[in-house]
Amino acid sequence: MLIPALLLYALWLGVAIGLMAVLLAFSLCAMIVVKFGEERQPVRRSEPRAKAQKAPEPDERPGGRWRGWARGAAALLLTAITANAVGAAAAGIAPGARLDRFAAAVVFVPLLWACLVIWMLSDRVMLRPVLGMIGASAIAGSTIAWILLA
């Protein structure tokens, strides 16, 4: 859905309205992905003790402190690298004038970085966002290399 939004931005709407259309389309795609990824569990009324038991706090769980540090480091470092690589690739291949592409990338990078940090910190399985960001960085890096070598 992002590619049609970029084409709509490039061909029809212009810079100001088109950029907002792209950001809205990207946000709607992210909301749809989150909605379809949520898990629902039925309420069990036959177990009254289950309500009284609480899940252990993160500090009380055995051997889980390193996960918070690893998640935080990846959320700050890996997401920044990915967002900047994708922004640079978008600035290089997006249609339009050079200054318009740069302005779009300047607006796009912090929003993408915030989305990636939220994804990294909220996903239960840490490997999914890491692999997704490594893949996005690889694609963006190959796009930048293609731009520079062309």
Side-chain angles (χ1 to χ4, degrees), residues 63-88:
R65 288 188 180 171
W66 68 270
R67 292 180 150 245
W69 287 102
R71 196 177 289 267
L76 291 176
L77 184 64
L78 186 60
T79 57
I81 292 169
T82 303
N84 285 312
V86 171

Side-chain angles (χ1 to χ4, degrees), residues 12 15-16 19 23 25 33 36 46 55 60 64 81 84 92-93 98 101 115 149:
W12 188 55
V15 176
L19 183 60
L23 293 176
V33 167
F36 284 125
S46 63
E60 297 172 2
I81 292 169
N84 285 312
I93 63 169
R98 182 181 296 174
R101 293 185 304 198
C115 292
L149 294 175

Side-chain angles (χ1 to χ4, degrees), residues 12-130:
W12 188 55
L13 293 175
V15 176
I17 297 172
L19 183 60
M20 291 305 132
V22 169
L23 293 176
L24 179 64
F26 185 72
S27 300
L28 289 175
C29 289
M31 285 178 23
I32 289 170
V33 167
V34 169
K35 181 64 179 167
F36 284 125
E38 74 180 354
E39 297 175 8
R40 295 179 184 222
Q41 297 178 353
V43 177
R44 298 179 188 171
R45 299 189 188 269
S46 63
E47 298 179 23
R49 288 189 317 174
K51 252 187 190 178
Q53 295 176 351
K54 291 183 179 179
E57 293 296 323
D59 291 336
E60 297 172 2
R61 294 179 189 153
R65 288 188 180 171
W66 68 270
R67 292 180 150 245
W69 287 102
R71 196 177 289 267
L76 291 176
L77 184 64
L78 186 60
T79 57
I81 292 169
T82 303
N84 285 312
V86 171
I93 63 169
R98 182 181 296 174
L99 187 60
D100 292 339
R101 293 185 304 198
F102 179 73
V106 166
V107 171
F108 183 64
V109 167
L111 293 174
L112 181 62
W113 188 29
C115 292
L116 292 174
V117 167
I118 290 169
W119 182 29
M120 175 60 92
L121 294 177
S122 65
D123 201 341
R124 204 170 27 130
V125 179
M126 197 166 69
L127 190 62
R128 283 186 289 219
V130 168

